[in-house]
Amino acid sequence: CHSKSSFIFNNCIHSYLVSTSIYIMSSGVLGPIDDLFNHLLRTRLQRRAKSILVSGLEFLITDLAILFLAIDLNIQDKQVELGLFIVTGIGALYVLSLCVFLFVHASCYMNKDKMNTTAEIEEAFTKTNQIPFFDGIFELVFPAKFRGNVWYLPYIMWSFCVAIILSGAILYAFTVNEDVPKATTAALSASALLLYQITADFSEYWVISRNQERADEDLDEVVTA
């Protein structure tokens, strides 16, 4: 019993040290990257993209913490352990791909200053954004409602997001008999929330980018970049 208690204590200490080290590293990395994004992404819609990109970097750093913590857990069921590694990797690949696509799209197509969101869409998002956390759920109908070029892309992203979160939750449920430190549980929860936030914010960005008007001309036509 004493041996098991010592193992749990040492595991918790090591998990805490890993989490603290990665947090310190992330603090030093995100600052310069945020400054770079401020320099490159200046229009209103580009600033929306920038906040998603920063959240994506936070997710990747959290994912790295989960990877180190999962290795340290030494889960008895090796299939569950392999599954956690695979889901962690797929989650990182999903967010990295989304961020690269978003950066290229925002830099190349959303660099026009004199563009405004249509009033109807602005009002719709203003209402849903007043409901923290659940706003992404209420906004699920918006891509189909407001359409635009490649309007269905957010639904593809949501499919990946839900699949990753559900897979991670199911695999985590198989670790109930393991000595899982609180740091690992906290990292997994933060990762799921970040993934949800990134996907919801991307969906909002995409709907708005599909429905832009020139601010200097009274035109009703939609720019489909």
Side-chain angles (χ1 to χ4, degrees):
C1 183
H2 180 269
S3 176
K4 184 178 181 181
S5 298
S6 298
F7 173 78
I8 295 173
F9 177 76
N10 291 333
N11 202 12
C12 289
I13 290 295
H14 184 75
S15 298
Y16 173 77
L17 291 174
V18 169
S19 301
T20 303
S21 300
I22 291 177
Y23 174 77
I24 293 172
M25 179 189 72
S26 68
S27 300
V29 169
L30 289 178
I33 292 178
D34 188 63
D35 293 337
L36 177 62
F37 285 157
N38 284 333
H39 178 72
L40 297 175
L41 305 173
R42 296 183 176 181
T43 68
R44 183 184 178 190
L45 200 51
Q46 284 181 334
R47 288 196 296 271
R48 286 179 180 269
K50 182 209 126 181
S51 66
I52 301 171
L53 292 171
V54 172
S55 296
L57 290 173
E58 291 173 350
F59 174 86
L60 291 174
I61 292 169
T62 305
D63 219 36
L64 182 63
I66 293 172
L67 180 62
F68 281 114
L69 293 170
I71 293 171
D72 186 58
L73 277 178
N74 192 24
I75 298 172
Q76 299 301 316
D77 190 332
K78 295 306 176 183
Q79 289 185 334
V80 172
E81 185 178 50
L82 178 62
L84 282 173
F85 290 149
I86 291 173
V87 171
T88 301
I90 292 174
L93 183 62
Y94 162 73
V95 171
L96 183 61
S97 301
L98 187 149
C99 286
V100 170
F101 170 78
L102 181 61
F103 179 77
V104 172
H105 185 271
S107 300
C108 297
Y109 297 106
M110 296 295 112
N111 54 358
K112 303 176 182 68
D113 288 319
K114 296 181 179 181
M115 301 296 292
N116 284 336
T117 310
T118 59
E120 183 184 7
I121 293 176
E122 192 76 45
E123 183 180 354
F125 279 111
T126 298
K127 289 179 179 178
T128 55
N129 287 337
Q130 292 175 353
I131 310 169
F133 185 76
F134 295 104
D135 56 334
I137 297 173
F138 291 120
E139 292 165 4
L140 281 173
V141 299
F142 289 173
K145 179 179 180 180
F146 296 115
R147 297 278 172 156
N149 193 27
V150 199
W151 60 271
Y152 50 82
L153 183 59
Y155 294 121
I156 296 174
M157 296 304 183
W158 274 115
S159 298
F160 279 112
C161 174
V162 171
I164 292 168
I165 291 176
L166 283 179
S167 299
I170 291 170
L171 287 168
Y172 179 75
F174 282 105
T175 66
V176 290
N177 295 323
E178 307 280 351
D179 298 316
V180 180
K182 291 183 178 179
T184 305
T185 304
L188 287 167
S189 301
S191 178
L193 289 173
L194 277 170
L195 198 63
Y196 167 81
Q197 176 194 330
I198 290 166
T199 306
D201 289 346
F202 174 79
S203 179
E204 180 175 344
Y205 166 88
W206 194 250
V207 171
I208 292 173
S209 72
R210 302 301 85 197
N211 297 273
Q212 292 281 288
E213 295 178 328
R214 291 189 64 84
D216 56 342
E217 296 178 30
D218 187 21
L219 298 176
D220 293 326
E221 58 187 296
V222 174
V223 177
T224 55

